[in-house]
Amino acid sequence: MKNYFRTVSVMAFLAFASCQQKTDLHTEHNAAIKKAVEDQYLKLISALNKLDFNALSDNFSKDDFNSALIGEKYLSSYIVWKDSVSNWLSKREHQQITLAEISVKPLTAELALLTSTTDWDIRFKYGEQRKMKMCMSVLWKKERCSWKIVH
């Protein structure tokens, strides 16, 4: 009976220890995903602040882009997104986007959902100035070299 109790105790300890190790690795992996997506998002905001369409578009998947919702606009493909956003940016003289809140939730090892709140200050070439707050949810996918937006 002592051997049985000892065997069960050792097995329980090993099961608990292995579960704890997986949790720690899972937590570390999630933290790495969160940091990578947040860093990529900060690059996106920087590109927007510079009105740099090429740097902005580097954050979007060319192959797996599904669609985008921007305000009241539904952009059904990468080409539609590219044409719309380059047109919008061409009308701006300056803009400053400030990140107010950000949350990244890893969904899988290759997908993460980012939600954010940003404050926008836009000055258009024709003189109008507009300030607004935007809330967004963006789906990111891990591609070969970095995380890219797919929706």
Side-chain angles (χ1 to χ4, degrees), residues 66-110:
N66 183 285
S67 62
L69 300 169
I70 301 176
E72 298 173 351
K73 303 284 185 191
Y74 171 70
L75 309 174
S76 59
S77 70
Y78 178 79
I79 298 298
V80 173
W81 174 86
K82 179 181 169 188
D83 292 345
S84 297
V85 173
S86 61
N87 179 49
W88 296 335
L89 292 180
S90 72
K91 296 176 182 176
R92 298 172 186 194
E93 182 178 305
H94 171 80
Q95 69 183 15
Q96 182 63 42
I97 302 163
T98 306
L99 182 61
E101 283 184 65
I102 186 171
S103 172
V104 176
K105 180 177 182 178
L107 303 174
T108 69
E110 295 183 347

Side-chain angles (χ1 to χ4, degrees), residues 38 41-42 44-45 48 96-104 113-121 132-138:
E38 285 179 11
Y41 186 61
L42 293 175
L44 179 146
I45 289 175
L48 279 168
Q96 182 63 42
I97 302 163
T98 306
L99 182 61
E101 283 184 65
I102 186 171
S103 172
V104 176
L113 180 65
L114 178 143
T115 55
S116 72
T117 304
T118 49
D119 296 311
W120 291 57
D121 186 357
M132 62 185 146
K133 184 176 283 291
M134 288 190 69
C135 300
M136 60 176 17
S137 293
V138 183

